[in-house]
Amino acid sequence: MPFDKLAKLGLVALKSNFAELQKPYKLNFAITYWCNSRCLTCNIWQLKPKNELTLQEIQEFTKKNNYFKWLELTGGEPFMRSDIVEVARAFAENMKDLYVLTLPTNSLVNKETVVQKLKEILSMRIPRVIVTLSLDGYAELHDKIRGVPGNYAKVMALANELHALQQNYKNLSLVFGYTISKYNVGMLEKTINAVKQELPWCDYNQFHINIGQVSDAYYKNSGNDFVVSAQSALVDVKYLLSKRNPSLDPAQILEQAFLRKMVEFVSTGRQPVRSKSIDASLFLDSYGNVFPSIMWNEVLGNIRNTSYSLEPILHSSKAREIKAAIKEGKEPNAWTACEAYQALAGNLKE
């Protein structure tokens, strides 16, 4: 069964190289904008969200759009949503071909609560659940960037708990997510060394990096002065590439390609391949607004206005306009994992 779901995901990604897909296979879904971090690189934590999608609305959405094979439940801090298990269950029960679920966390929610909820999610038999622990530096640096004293220690504690959990749940993968900004550029090696001292079991393939970027659609951070010059980020990207171990794991193969293209992105300042926004993936916010991607501040529609069906939105004049813009190279110049993986899988000839 897990192999069948992986094969279906691989086939639809391969198909996206040769034909326009009728339905996207990946959904990036911000299930809440509540956040208990105070990040210097993001303004989501300043929001006081109201009227977010209810569990019942999400359940209706999953029934009417049951074709996603790849799901990211993000935030805000997704574990601040008390019904996160029920949200995940709605997708697991209705998305029969769902292969991978990714969940980021800042590790600030009570550790025991997170572990218990993850056990319930892991028991849903989603073939692969990837938990990304946000980590932007060694102890002092991470706590400064995240704005919460003691945050680094909580990341380490949760990492140890999840590592132990992997003994009983083989579908669990653990990743550290590092966002390069002007606050931590050049500090990746020191950070990884610090983590490896505390977590001897950790290896380089468990580190994922992103370049800090501006997005009003998602991060709400257009006024923040944190973006690092592209060239100065090269040292961190090349360092991680030099340390990674060869792997036949599909996720690690994609990650390696993502990093190699990141070198191209920071060297040239240009997005290395066209995105597959709308065609392969969408971004859904916690109010029901549908965007082409987390980086593209263009609302395609709201699922509350379409009885929770994506069909009218996917075939709207706005969607056709965005698709035409992508073909013409008129899209936000960005390279972030939320869209890059499916862009790589759908541009194998480039």
Side-chain angles (χ1 to χ4, degrees):
M1 182 69 72
F3 179 77
D4 289 345
K5 292 182 178 181
L6 174 59
K8 288 179 179 179
L9 173 57
L11 283 172
V12 72
L14 183 63
K15 183 180 178 181
S16 69
N17 284 268
F18 308 103
E20 184 175 301
L21 301 179
Q22 295 303 304
K23 299 171 182 176
Y25 62 84
K26 183 184 180 189
L27 178 67
N28 298 305
F29 179 18
I31 59 175
T32 183
Y33 277 128
W34 287 103
C35 187
N36 47 1
S37 287
R38 297 291 183 270
C39 298
L40 297 175
T41 58
C42 174
N43 289 344
I44 289 177
W45 61 271
Q46 297 180 19
L47 303 177
K48 298 293 184 281
K50 296 180 179 179
N51 197 28
E52 295 189 306
L53 291 169
T54 66
L55 175 61
Q56 291 70 31
E57 288 179 301
I58 294 170
Q59 290 169 332
E60 186 67 15
F61 172 82
T62 63
K63 292 172 183 175
K64 292 189 174 179
N65 310 277
N66 61 357
Y67 42 79
F68 290 102
K69 298 170 177 62
W70 186 346
L71 173 66
E72 175 155 1
L73 297 182
T74 186
E77 169 51 47
F79 285 95
M80 287 189 74
R81 182 150 181 156
S82 61
D83 59 0
I84 186 173
V85 173
E86 288 71 26
V87 170
R89 182 173 289 112
F91 282 94
E93 290 181 349
N94 291 301
M95 310 285 165
K96 299 305 181 184
D97 292 330
L98 181 62
Y99 173 73
V100 59
L101 165 64
T102 61
L103 286 161
T105 180
N106 59 23
S107 304
L108 292 174
V109 172
N110 178 272
K111 179 181 63 177
E112 287 71 25
T113 299
V114 172
V115 171
Q116 180 55 43
K117 289 183 182 296
L118 273 175
K119 285 181 179 178
E120 295 180 57
I121 292 171
L122 290 163
S123 298
M124 295 173 193
R125 298 189 178 181
I126 300 169
R128 188 153 197 177
V129 177
I130 303 173
V131 178
T132 301
L133 304 183
S134 299
L135 183 71
D136 292 337
Y138 50 87
E140 298 86 355
L141 182 58
H142 178 76
D143 290 358
K144 177 182 177 181
I145 293 172
R146 291 275 158 170
V148 180
N151 193 171
Y152 179 90
K154 291 185 176 182
V155 175
M156 296 297 102
L158 183 55
N160 264 323
E161 290 282 347
L162 298 188
H163 179 62
L165 207 59
Q166 287 179 306
Q167 309 310 309
N168 295 320
Y169 296 93
K170 302 305 180 184
N171 56 336
L172 173 61
S173 296
L174 171 60
V175 176
F176 295 96
Y178 185 96
T179 298
I180 301 174
S181 69
K182 75 173 187 180
Y183 303 109
N184 62 2
V185 65
M187 292 293 108
L188 180 62
E189 180 176 3
K190 183 174 180 179
T191 298
I192 292 179
N193 288 339
V195 172
K196 289 174 73 67
Q197 282 187 353
E198 292 201 46
L199 308 175
W201 47 264
C202 183
D203 68 52
Y204 293 99
N205 286 28
Q206 289 179 290
F207 287 87
H208 165 79
I209 57 177
N210 262 320
I211 305 292
Q213 293 167 83
V214 172
S215 167
D216 279 338
Y218 181 46
Y219 301 112
K220 322 293 184 188
N221 61 352
S222 60
N224 294 33
D225 178 24
F226 69 90
V227 177
V228 67
S229 67
Q231 289 294 326
S232 60
L234 267 177
V235 62
D236 288 324
V237 181
K238 288 185 174 180
Y239 168 74
L240 186 56
L241 270 171
S242 72
K243 293 292 187 178
R244 284 175 52 82
N245 302 309
S247 174
L248 295 177
D249 175 27
Q252 291 294 340
I253 291 171
L254 266 180
E255 180 69 8
Q256 188 77 0
F258 169 71
L259 288 171
R260 285 176 177 161
K261 288 294 186 181
M262 187 180 286
V263 172
E264 184 178 333
F265 175 65
V266 298
S267 298
T268 65
R270 296 191 301 273
Q271 185 170 307
V273 296
R274 284 182 300 177
S275 77
K276 287 290 178 176
S277 298
I278 304 179
D279 188 26
S281 64
L282 293 169
F283 170 52
L284 175 66
D285 75 10
S286 63
Y287 310 113
N289 295 309
V290 179
F291 298 81
S293 74
I294 68 166
M295 301 303 298
W296 206 328
N297 195 26
E298 291 278 358
V299 177
L300 301 175
N302 189 292
I303 60 172
R304 283 171 165 160
N305 299 329
T306 59
S307 299
Y308 307 100
S309 171
L310 284 172
E311 195 74 13
I313 296 173
L314 291 172
H315 295 96
S316 66
S317 59
K318 188 66 175 179
R320 290 194 294 272
E321 177 186 320
I322 294 296
K323 286 183 178 183
I326 293 171
K327 289 179 181 178
E328 295 170 9
K330 299 175 182 177
E331 61 178 315
N333 185 43
W335 192 243
T336 180
C338 290
E339 278 82 38
Y341 291 155
Q342 52 272 27
L344 287 165
N347 290 283
L348 295 177
K349 295 177 288 185
E350 297 186 25

